[in-house]
Amino acid sequence: MNTVLKIAALSGLVFCQTTLLGAPLYKKPKLPVETRVEDLLSRMTLHEKVMQLNQYVHGTNMNLHNIGKIDDHYPLEAGSYIYYSQDPKMRNDLQKRVLKETRLGIPAVFAHDVTHGFRTIYPMPLAQAASGNPELVEKVCAMAASESRLSGTDWTFSPMLDVARDPRWGRITETFGEDPYMNSIFGVATVKGYQGNDLSSPEHMAACLKHFVGYGATQGGRDYRQTDISDNDLWNVHLVPFKACVDAGAATLMSAFNDINGVPSTANRHTLTEILRDRWNFNGVTISDWASVSQLKDYQSTASTYAEAAVQSLLAGVDIDMCSGCYSSTLDSLVNAGVIPIKRIDDAVRSVLRLKFRLGLFERPYTPEISRDKRLMTPWNLSIAEKMAEESMVLLKNDQNVLPLSHKKIAVIGPAATDKRAMYGEWFSHGDIDDATSLLDGIMQEFKGVAEVMYAKGCDFDGEERSGFAEAIKTAAEADVVILCMGERGNWSCENNSRAEIAIPGIQRELIKEFKNSGKPLVLALTSGRPVNLSDIEPVVDAIIEVWQPGIRGGNALGGILSGRVNPSGKLPVTFPRTPAQIPLYYGIRRGARFSPHGDYKDIPSTPLYEFGHGLSYSTFEYGEITADKTQFKQNDELTLSVEVRNTSDRDGAEIIHWYISDPVSSTVRPIKELKHFEKKYIKSGDRQVFTFKINPLRDLSILDKNGNVIIEPGDFIVSVKDKTIRLSLE
Ligand code: GLC
């Protein structure tokens, strides 16, 4: 091409890249995001692109389990930060420097682990799942998004969608339990709550699906370990919630620490590219977990250098390196050496720029600096946090209907009574434990003027100190009923906190047994982030309420349940084994070659102490038969099944019903039953409600084969609700 033509082409290029007003296209908010992305990308140098693929820490790291040196000497071209402040000023000060002191002024995005609240802390995700109320979960997540975005956090590393079936794993508390469908429903509700309909809204933030994938299958419940996952389980268990949340529009996704059958999740092209990008068409950002790129060299040893680790991770499909320094220190030279194609860099940068445009950061790079009382812990926030706690608690046992209490002298005993840290669990972001209502506070507020409440700690959560026993026994002797507030410390269920015995520590169990012959009704209020081995306590107490880690108004919620102001409605999202020796133990097991009791343990029971879906109410409900608008159907039909439930008690109450399907004859062995729908309805005393399940056969009756293809097989299917069943036939 001769010089004249070149100049003409160049000037034409320059002209089409700027408007008549001279501003570059990427700065024009009315243009399509993809146009702005391409324009900005075309202006970036290699180094500017690479820096967008690195995340640093801004502020003081709050996660004690994060390893490695915290690099706080970061370049202003960094694409994103984990932000550890609850005030926007620190973020705005840094953002001003980014916009003024870098060549293109690409705004940074600020992330944080907001997993069950930012400052208003609501129950842990496992407890939220027990509520059976995804609409309420969406509300509390929208509240958390508002507190976060108005405080300078644009992006949260939540929801955690790891299907968890081993209560020895401390992170089970961060999941929505053992069932893929339940994790899907609550994961989608969480994504919708965080993201709303417009990520650029000043009160919404980007969600992050984690940890992709299979982290919940960590061997022996020991954290950070290998996972051995069959194709059947990969497709029909672990990928299910991620697919649901990708389809719901989640903006980002995080790779996991674990390997899958020997291939690290952070270097797993099959999951991160072939499935996530090529099959699911995910066009959001993928980020590693903390230092999981450098761990490919330092621990999993699939790489012998950090450069190799960067190559493995980036080419597998991880866009951003979280805090390991591998990408920032090696990518420029790897591209210049032709080891990494610039196309892969460009695709990763496109994802990051797309996120920033969708968040509206180019138009609003700064967070308005409004006072805390106007953005944190508003009365509305506190009220929905309390309702979330009320609906998440599970009444596991209530012999002789000892609850609700009608007693006049109540003894409150145990270390969890006043321990506010136990209300919050882990990952409580900017929550201040002093804000929390302790269990004792809640009980005293609830029964003020109604009953006398006495307290004695009795013992600590663990240790050997028994000096408090005598006072506790004396206090109980003066009361009509004893509320035992026992369980886990707030940091016992979390990352890097695997526990083999999953039992309440011996000192607490010993104290509980001291009341065995007290002649007083004993009510255990259990604070835990996971299923707990209750086998030697359950026979001693008359009632058990799983309080979980109930958040800022947990004490109020427990008070309401004890008094009867709140009718408990929670159902377990995870199985409670009698002993860890039974693990793995979950409801969705496949049919065996023989049926129980053939194959059961000969020395201990093979049944759980409390099964998935267990939960009592103060009301009693009677179920009618399941009816269907048709029982013969074709695969593209839709069927409507109904069941009528009547509240036969004198108390209004809410009931959650689970709809299960099973396939009596299938080409591969399927689970004995599979949860495919659940619904919660409030039913007034003496009234009835009709619950419906609209079956979409391809969605609800199919299975995925080892390649992830949907398989639906003609023949009969059984649908069940409690002990009611109906047989359907697919032609
Ligand atoms: C942690 C966790 C992850 C979290 C990340 C950032 O190690 O595995 O869930 O989002 O680091 O704090």
Side-chain angles (χ1 to χ4, degrees):
M1 183 190 293
N2 68 35
T3 309
V4 172
L5 275 178
K6 271 184 186 173
I7 291 169
L10 192 61
S11 58
L13 188 64
V14 168
F15 177 76
C16 80
Q17 281 195 347
T18 60
T19 64
L20 292 175
L21 302 176
L25 293 185
Y26 75 89
K27 289 193 174 179
K28 309 300 288 178
K30 289 191 170 42
L31 290 179
V33 164
E34 294 312 313
T35 305
R36 302 178 74 185
V37 166
E38 291 309 318
D39 178 61
L40 180 49
L41 185 70
S42 68
R43 298 164 185 273
M44 296 170 73
T45 66
L46 171 60
H47 186 66
E48 288 166 339
K49 294 176 181 178
V50 166
M51 289 321 298
Q52 287 298 311
L53 308 183
N54 289 274
Q55 185 169 85
Y56 294 83
V57 163
H58 189 45
T60 307
N61 173 36
M62 296 157 73
N63 177 1
L64 305 179
H65 313 296
N66 285 344
I67 56 171
K69 189 176 87 56
I70 305 290
D71 180 358
D72 50 12
H73 300 290
Y74 39 74
L76 291 175
E77 291 85 358
S80 63
Y81 298 88
I82 303 183
Y83 183 54
Y84 287 115
S85 167
Q86 63 175 296
D87 284 319
K89 185 175 181 333
M90 191 166 109
R91 164 236 167 90
N92 288 341
D93 290 348
L94 174 57
Q95 192 78 297
K96 282 180 190 126
R97 293 195 59 207
V98 170
L99 268 61
K100 288 181 172 46
E101 298 175 37
T102 62
R103 187 176 73 88
L104 290 169
I106 299 172
V109 55
F110 294 82
H112 187 62
D113 288 282
V114 183
T115 63
H116 59 113
F118 180 84
R119 173 67 188 270
T120 303
I121 304 301
Y122 47 92
M124 287 299 286
L126 191 61
Q128 295 170 40
S131 73
N133 192 341
E135 293 75 22
L136 183 55
V137 167
E138 185 174 338
K139 279 199 184 100
V140 294
C141 291
M143 174 267 285
S146 171
E147 289 196 343
S148 303
R149 195 74 188 268
L150 291 176
S151 303
T153 289
D154 318 300
W155 176 15
T156 179
F157 298 135
S158 170
M160 181 160 155
L161 301 172
D162 302 304
V163 176
R165 295 169 162 176
D166 190 333
R168 294 171 297 184
W169 186 46
R171 302 200 74 170
I172 193 170
T173 189
E174 298 175 61
T175 77
F176 296 112
E178 69 185 52
D179 179 77
Y181 176 77
M182 193 166 276
N183 272 276
S184 303
I185 295 298
F186 285 105
V188 168
T190 301
V191 169
K192 287 180 176 174
Y194 288 150
Q195 298 192 166
N197 298 318
D198 174 6
L199 272 186
S200 68
S201 145
E203 298 196 61
H204 284 99
M205 62 181 172
C208 183
L209 310 179
K210 71 184 188 182
H211 303 78
F212 194 67
V213 63
Y215 189 14
T218 189
Q219 191 182 65
R222 293 179 294 275
D223 211 346
Y224 313 123
R225 292 298 184 275
Q226 72 184 65
T227 67
D228 298 291
I229 301 175
S230 65
D231 289 333
N232 189 354
D233 272 5
L234 181 65
W235 284 104
N236 291 295
V237 177
H238 299 287
L239 287 172
V240 171
F242 287 92
K243 175 67 165 61
C245 291
V246 164
D247 291 349
T252 74
L253 174 141
M254 181 187 297
S255 69
F257 286 130
N258 56 291
D259 76 62
I260 307 168
N261 310 328
V263 181
S265 298
T266 298
N268 199 310
R269 183 171 174 76
H270 176 55
T271 51
L272 284 165
T273 296
E274 292 166 10
I275 294 176
L276 182 66
R277 302 280 188 192
D278 299 347
R279 289 187 70 159
W280 294 355
N281 300 314
F282 178 68
N283 74 347
V285 170
T286 54
I287 183 169
S288 77
D289 200 340
W290 180 283
S292 64
V293 176
S294 57
Q295 288 173 184
L296 298 174
K297 171 193 171 292
D298 294 338
Y299 296 93
Q300 288 161 315
S301 304
T302 56
S304 55
T305 65
Y306 290 132
E308 271 184 39
V311 171
Q312 288 176 12
S313 178
L314 187 70
L315 295 188
V318 174
D319 296 330
I320 296 178
D321 171 6
M322 184 193 289
C323 303
S324 95
C326 287
Y327 281 20
S328 56
S329 59
T330 69
L331 288 190
D332 293 77
S333 50
L334 287 166
V335 171
N336 291 332
V339 176
I340 287 183
I342 188 61
K343 182 183 179 315
R344 176 62 192 116
I345 298 285
D346 286 349
D347 286 346
V349 174
R350 281 190 180 94
S351 299
V352 176
L353 298 181
R354 185 176 300 125
L355 174 66
K356 293 183 175 184
F357 283 119
R358 288 182 63 199
L359 283 167
L361 293 176
F362 285 81
E363 284 67 50
R364 276 193 313 283
Y366 306 116
T367 303
E369 297 181 17
I370 56 180
S371 63
R372 290 186 183 197
D373 62 329
K374 290 195 173 50
R375 56 186 161 89
L376 304 175
M377 292 212 304
T378 65
W380 162 247
N381 294 6
L382 295 173
S383 69
I384 56 165
E386 182 168 340
K387 183 146 183 53
M388 190 76 256
E390 289 172 356
E391 296 206 23
S392 65
M393 293 182 183
V394 184
L395 182 58
L396 297 175
K397 180 179 183 182
N398 189 21
D399 284 2
Q400 286 82 44
N401 292 324
V402 65
L403 293 177
L405 298 179
S406 55
H407 307 76
K408 292 302 174 194
K409 288 190 171 184
I410 301 169
V412 178
I413 308 287
T418 57
D419 188 291
K420 295 190 174 187
R421 177 73 180 74
M423 299 292 101
Y424 276 11
E426 265 296 278
W427 294 111
F428 58 92
S429 186
H430 295 287
D432 180 338
I433 60 172
D434 290 340
D435 299 330
T437 307
S438 70
L439 299 184
L440 178 63
D441 292 343
I443 294 168
M444 293 182 83
Q445 286 171 33
E446 186 73 23
F447 289 91
K448 188 173 180 183
V450 175
E452 182 187 353
V453 177
M454 299 164 274
Y455 163 68
K457 184 175 180 181
C459 69
D460 202 347
F461 282 95
D462 53 6
E464 299 300 326
E465 186 52 62
R466 293 170 178 77
S467 59
F469 277 31
E471 187 205 357
I473 293 164
K474 179 173 176 292
T475 304
E478 294 163 10
D480 309 327
V481 64
V482 182
I483 311 299
L484 298 160
C485 297
M486 306 278 185
E488 291 191 317
R489 283 190 191 283
N491 63 351
W492 284 0
S493 285
C494 68
E495 180 178 351
N496 192 18
N497 261 278
S498 303
R499 300 175 77 84
E501 290 304 327
I502 63 169
I504 297 177
I507 192 75
Q508 293 185 55
R509 300 204 311 270
E510 203 180 310
L511 177 59
I512 291 171
K513 290 171 185 169
E514 289 287 336
F515 301 109
K516 192 172 178 179
N517 303 315
S518 65
K520 312 284 179 178
L522 302 178
V523 177
L524 172 64
L526 175 66
T527 61
S528 76
R530 70 174 91 205
V532 168
N533 172 2
L534 294 169
S535 44
D536 63 340
I537 293 172
E538 190 276 335
V540 173
V541 298
D542 303 287
I544 303 174
I545 302 170
E546 174 58 79
V547 170
W548 305 112
Q549 293 156 337
I552 195 166
R553 287 291 176 268
N556 307 83
L558 175 65
I561 287 177
L562 291 173
S563 74
R565 173 173 57 82
V566 175
N567 190 346
S569 59
K571 305 281 185 197
L572 290 180
V574 66
T575 300
F576 272 52
R578 298 174 187 280
T579 155
Q582 294 178 310
I583 295 169
L585 188 69
Y586 53 92
Y587 93 85
I589 55 170
R590 294 194 297 272
R591 290 190 175 85
R594 302 274 175 84
F595 286 168
S596 176
H598 297 283
D600 286 349
Y601 299 121
K602 300 306 177 205
D603 55 345
I604 60 171
S606 291
T607 53
L609 180 61
Y610 299 116
E611 63 183 10
F612 175 87
H614 172 72
L616 304 176
S617 165
Y618 295 150
S619 302
T620 50
F621 299 101
E622 198 173 82
Y623 284 59
E625 296 304 319
I626 302 174
T627 59
D629 59 350
K630 61 172 90 76
T631 55
Q632 308 281 336
F633 64 99
K634 295 182 174 57
Q635 75 174 39
N636 296 322
D637 286 346
E638 185 171 88
L639 296 85
T640 301
L641 275 63
S642 305
V643 65
E644 184 178 271
V645 179
R646 198 155 66 85
N647 180 344
T648 54
S649 72
D650 60 0
R651 275 181 178 273
D652 299 348
E655 178 72 338
I656 303 167
I657 80 163
H658 285 182
W659 293 84
Y660 294 92
I661 67 110
S662 64
D663 186 349
V665 179
S666 53
S667 58
T668 58
V669 181
R670 292 186 68 166
I672 293 169
K673 63 180 187 177
E674 301 165 44
L675 180 71
K676 292 295 181 181
H677 182 60
F678 62 85
E679 192 178 6
K680 182 173 198 173
K681 283 185 181 278
Y682 190 75
I683 311 176
K684 284 186 167 307
S685 164
D687 202 354
R688 62 196 68 206
Q689 284 280 356
V690 176
F691 291 73
T692 56
F693 175 20
K694 288 192 180 306
I695 290 186
N696 170 321
L698 276 176
R699 179 193 64 203
D700 301 320
L701 304 178
S702 62
I703 192 168
L704 298 173
D705 70 12
K706 63 183 174 44
N707 299 312
N709 300 313
V710 175
I711 306 286
I712 183 160
E713 297 173 328
D716 288 358
F717 290 88
I718 308 291
V719 178
S720 60
V721 172
K722 284 203 183 271
D723 58 350
K724 308 294 184 187
T725 62
I726 190 167
R727 184 175 286 265
L728 307 171
S729 296
L730 170 61
E731 291 159 9

